[in-house]
Amino acid sequence: FFFGFDVIVERYAGPWLSCALPLGFLLLGALVVLWLHALRQRAISAMVLGGMFFVGYRLFATVNGFGLFKLAMFALPFALVEFARVVDFRGGRWLLGAVLLVLVPIGVAGSIRYTAASLAGAKSLVGEVFDASRSLGRIPPAGAAAVWSDVDSSPVAKLLMLERRHPGPLFLSQSFLGGYVRSGAAPWPDWAYRFRPGPRFDTAASSRLVEGFKHEVYVPASVNGLDFLRQPATEGAAGQGDIPVVTSQGELRAFNQLEPRPGERSDGLFAWAPFRGLENHLVFVNSRQGQHYYLGDDGQISVYKPEPDVYDPRGHFFVIGRHLLFRVLNPSATVRIRLSLTDSVLGQGRTALPAEARAKGTGPSPVPFGLVGAGSANVVSPPLQPFHLAGADYVALDLGRPTIPIGLPAEGLEGIYNRSVSLDSRSGVAYCRDISALSEERYAARPPLSRLSRFPADLVGPHAPEYSGIYEDGWVSGHAFVRLGPVQAGSRVSGLMQRPTLPGVAPLPRRVTLLLDGVPQFTREIPPGDFRWEATCPRPAECVKIELVFDGIDTLPAPDLRPAAALLTFVQIQPAP
């Protein structure tokens, strides 16, 4: 990192990582030798490094990777001091020049790579903000009486406050402040405060401050089993129509993709709209069981930063966990929750969709999303009434199964130690493309598709039909459905799919059952190769649920290894002859 050979925004690939690891251990060993040499001479820099070694051991023992990375940054200047103490360049300035001639271009190249990763559209997984510089001056005017923000992760919160000319906005999600409340409730032990200069700090005051903060500024609450902090100053809609609600481009990429956004919208970091102009606008609320990735507790994170969608060059998706809590701004009497997600990219044995996913509002039982099969899905829940609490409305999502590591085990030299640790530190249930809320009127007004044939274009984006169990490239899992329409009396549903012929594997008998709106139409054997089918719609409707159920699946050849039953060419609604 220091010399630019590596940058935090990328990973080494293939053999380069295996080469970098022994080199890193070699440099660490050289540093230890230099440190011991300087420690015998009682050098101040060596004593500081000694304290850092002790702290580093504690961080390693508690699996604190971020702390270790920061410690390595802080140790570099002291390590360079020890290096300079034993290396004499006075007799070989040509050697110093040669070293600089090599390191400077590498360092410049590393800086360029780091900068490029922070630009809009970059594929980096660590960019906290998207093209922030272009957002300056694009937030509500300074004369606004109050500002609400639906995101408060630290980088966004800092930039948002810097652009204001009055006290900072009220955050609806509490992700950033909630982290401080959790950590402040368990302050450092007494011995840690003895290192503070000045009068001894009363550690009990920290707990009292946190408790006062929780009961006066934020109030503990629970909705459908999810514990969070209410923001009383933003509750109740009366007189709040002109308050601007500010959002970040990260949230614009994650939620409310179906919502028409009135008001000013920026190409930079921020966008905003007046409160009264929003309808069924979802704001992710940080709960104890489902947290924002920034300062979130390990194992409890439910929303990670967006990244470019591998199937949609114009879109983004993000990893989600099991539990999510949303506040609904200006909700209709009942809402439907749109959930667009994919497990296609998770790898062999992990592509099954969360069949038990459900949404919760007011009512004795949650409503199911009806996910089936494997791959990707775009589903809409049955109508539900949001949970009303102290002037605000909430809905909760439970994806119904525990999270799993998103990445795969390491290979090469990196896989020698701790093979159970994933290359990707995130843990989730799926990649999510959008979560939105719709009124009954908006749901009924959505025009249905009459043909599904362009993959992945027809399956991603706001125009995607309701479906489940289809991979974005057209492969169909063992159970899948899609809703197409409209259908008239005598309309026909037809399709073409291909059963794969696997090299070196004798094909087993396979059968498929077609259902229209849950009514079986036929069960037929599928031979290897092309298979055409057709059925007549039982009745006129705005759309029909076309469902395919296979009695077995095949495993696609390596390195794909996804379970799939057939490759779908098209499925369509045809008018009556």
Side-chain angles (χ1 to χ4, degrees):
F1 290 145
F2 184 79
F3 293 109
F5 287 103
D6 197 9
V7 293
I8 191 175
V9 294
E10 296 179 5
R11 290 187 58 86
Y12 281 124
W16 296 110
L17 181 60
S18 294
C19 294
L21 282 173
L23 178 59
F25 279 108
L26 180 64
L27 293 174
L28 178 62
L31 175 61
V32 171
V33 172
L34 292 175
W35 170 63
L36 293 174
H37 175 73
L39 199 61
R40 287 195 297 268
Q41 299 178 1
R42 299 181 180 180
I44 295 177
S45 56
M47 296 179 183
V48 174
L49 277 177
M52 289 184 174
F53 274 120
F54 171 74
V55 174
Y57 168 76
R58 292 291 300 162
L59 293 173
F60 181 82
T62 55
V63 199
N64 191 325
F66 185 72
L68 278 172
F69 171 72
K70 288 294 186 181
L71 185 69
M73 291 174 58
F74 299 148
L76 276 173
F78 299 95
L80 289 175
V81 168
E82 299 310 318
F83 180 73
R85 283 166 53 85
V86 298
V87 177
D88 186 1
F89 285 108
R90 290 174 298 177
R93 293 188 177 181
W94 62 271
L95 179 61
L96 176 60
V99 171
L100 292 178
L101 189 64
V102 172
L103 293 183
V104 169
I106 294 175
V108 171
S111 298
I112 292 174
R113 290 163 58 202
Y114 191 94
T115 303
S118 66
L119 300 178
K123 297 184 181 301
S124 167
L125 296 181
V126 299
E128 301 288 354
V129 295
F130 291 89
D131 205 13
S133 299
R134 296 169 59 191
S135 72
L136 297 177
R138 298 293 187 88
I139 63 173
V147 173
W148 293 0
S149 175
D150 69 357
V151 61
D152 66 338
S153 63
S154 179
V156 177
K158 292 175 182 177
L159 288 170
L160 185 57
M161 290 182 178
L162 283 174
E163 292 191 354
R164 297 300 303 166
R165 293 184 175 86
H166 56 69
L170 297 175
F171 295 108
L172 302 180
S173 59
Q174 301 104 40
S175 59
F176 183 53
L177 294 177
Y180 275 111
V181 168
R182 289 193 306 275
S183 60
W188 290 90
D190 289 345
W191 64 264
Y193 290 96
R194 295 173 188 165
F195 293 97
R196 269 183 93 253
R200 182 180 175 185
F201 182 75
D202 182 6
T203 56
S206 173
S207 297
R208 292 197 300 270
L209 178 62
V210 168
E211 288 303 311
F213 185 79
K214 287 170 59 176
H215 290 87
E216 296 179 20
V217 181
Y218 292 95
V219 179
S222 179
V223 170
N224 290 317
L226 302 183
D227 305 315
F228 69 105
L229 298 175
R230 287 173 37 219
Q231 169 59 285
T234 67
E235 294 172 340
Q240 298 175 349
D242 293 329
I243 289 180
V245 179
V246 179
T247 188
S248 73
Q249 290 294 339
E251 262 53 34
L252 288 175
R253 291 176 169 96
F255 308 122
N256 303 301
Q257 295 293 317
L258 300 182
E259 176 187 325
R261 297 182 179 89
E264 183 176 344
R265 184 169 180 175
S266 167
D267 292 331
L269 176 63
F270 300 124
W272 66 277
F275 174 82
R276 67 172 178 273
L278 300 173
E279 177 185 354
N280 292 319
H281 181 85
L282 295 181
V283 176
F284 174 75
V285 176
N286 207 61
S287 65
R288 184 170 62 84
Q289 295 81 2
Q291 300 171 20
H292 191 271
Y293 74 92
Y294 199 89
L295 297 180
D297 296 330
D298 187 32
Q300 304 296 327
I301 298 175
S302 284
V303 172
Y304 290 87
K305 65 176 75 69
E307 58 187 278
D309 191 336
V310 296
Y311 292 105
D312 182 6
R314 300 168 300 174
H316 293 76
F317 58 11
F318 60 101
V319 174
I320 56 172
R322 175 171 180 173
H323 296 287
L324 300 100
L325 177 64
F326 293 93
R327 181 170 169 184
V328 191
L329 304 185
N330 294 326
S332 50
T334 60
V335 299
R336 291 176 180 259
I337 305 299
R338 183 232 190 176
L339 177 63
S340 177
L341 76 169
T342 180
D343 281 322
S344 300
V345 297
L346 293 185
Q348 180 186 14
R350 311 196 305 170
T351 59
L353 292 164
E356 300 300 319
R358 53 199 185 272
K360 302 178 183 179
T362 298
S365 59
V367 297
F369 281 103
L371 291 164
V372 299
S376 66
N378 178 54
V379 291
V380 179
S381 75
L384 61 88
Q385 185 178 3
F387 189 97
H388 191 76
L389 175 65
D393 298 273
Y394 301 89
V395 294
L397 270 62
D398 181 357
L399 296 193
R401 72 184 186 198
T403 61
I404 61 173
I406 295 300
L408 298 174
E411 298 179 349
L413 290 182
E414 194 177 19
I416 292 178
Y417 169 73
N418 231 347
R419 287 192 57 84
S420 61
V421 176
S422 167
L423 289 175
D424 191 327
S425 62
R426 295 173 297 176
S427 179
V429 174
Y431 278 86
C432 181
R433 292 189 169 99
D434 177 45
I435 301 176
S436 295
L438 300 87
S439 65
E440 284 295 293
E441 294 75 16
R442 286 208 58 215
Y443 176 71
R446 294 188 67 203
L449 287 182
S450 61
R451 178 182 172 91
L452 181 66
S453 60
R454 301 177 304 157
F455 302 100
D458 286 342
L459 299 181
V460 297
H463 64 278
E466 293 181 60
Y467 76 94
S468 181
I470 306 176
Y471 297 98
E472 289 86 346
D473 55 2
W475 286 102
V476 180
S477 65
H479 189 183
F481 76 82
V482 61
R483 294 183 186 272
L484 300 179
V487 295
Q488 308 297 329
S491 293
R492 293 174 299 167
V493 177
S494 62
L496 172 63
M497 55 189 175
Q498 182 184 70
R499 183 183 170 190
T501 301
L502 303 178
V505 179
L508 298 174
R510 292 278 188 264
R511 299 173 69 84
V512 61
T513 299
L514 172 70
L515 302 93
L516 298 181
D517 285 335
V519 179
Q521 303 296 308
F522 63 74
T523 298
R524 297 178 185 172
E525 185 171 338
I526 315 172
D530 291 344
F531 175 74
R532 291 181 178 271
W533 50 270
E534 186 176 289
T536 302
C537 296
R539 58 183 179 276
E542 287 298 321
C543 66
V544 59
K545 182 180 180 182
I546 306 166
E547 195 168 1
L548 297 170
V549 182
F550 299 84
D551 67 351
I553 56 175
D554 298 301
T555 299
L556 298 180
D560 195 322
L561 300 177
R562 287 177 297 172
L567 179 62
L568 185 64
T569 302
F570 71 84
V571 55
Q572 63 185 1
I573 303 293
Q574 294 179 294

